[in-house]
Amino acid sequence: MSIITTTHLNFRGTARPAMEFYRSVFGGDLQLMTYAQMGMPAEAPGADKVVFSRLQADGGFRLMAYDIPGIDDADAAATAGSTRRENGATLTDRTFFQSLQGSTLDEVAVLWDRLSDGARIIEPLAASTWSAGFGMLTDRFGVTWVVDVQAAA
């Protein structure tokens, strides 16, 4: 038996631009389907919003997302919550962060630079006591990413 987990992000009307942004960051194949394509009348409010999307990229990277029905708010702060670093600790009201790990600092630095476009940097990507590179940011769509280099086993 093989178990796979995939983060499924819930957006407030911004799933399409978010997933297109993530494709620009990670590459890969993006599939999108709207509520109208699933049978909702095209003239119904929200019919053009995303009911299903999946991004699959090299190395097993997967991400899914949709637009919450009836909620349309492009303000990332509505979903971002509050996260900050203070005295080496992360203080947040979020129920999850999206973790992104790579084998080398060079590998994660490229993705960090792409994710940083329009993001709020919580902790700059830099060496830490546990990793050759660690950083946190909340991207322009309100998703908080923890980016780090995996410690050698």
Side-chain angles (χ1 to χ4, degrees), residues 60-152:
F61 180 89
R62 285 186 311 275
L63 192 61
M64 295 176 74
Y66 90 121
D67 287 313
I68 301 167
I71 299 178
D72 199 9
D73 188 349
D75 180 10
T79 56
S82 170
T83 302
R84 68 185 189 282
R85 297 273 296 162
E86 215 173 88
N87 300 318
T90 302
L91 306 172
T92 189
D93 60 3
R94 295 297 309 255
T95 57
F96 79 95
F97 297 142
Q98 182 64 29
S99 175
L100 178 66
Q101 294 184 317
S103 301
T104 68
L105 182 57
D106 289 341
E107 181 181 34
V108 299
V110 168
L111 299 173
W112 172 269
D113 289 344
R114 293 175 188 164
L115 282 170
S116 295
D117 185 15
R120 185 177 65 81
I121 306 300
I122 298 165
E123 180 82 16
L125 182 64
S128 69
T129 56
W130 66 90
S131 174
F134 164 79
M136 290 182 74
L137 60 80
T138 299
D139 72 26
R140 64 174 103 162
F141 297 100
V143 176
T144 299
W145 294 80
V146 177
V147 179
D148 64 340
V149 177
Q150 288 179 319

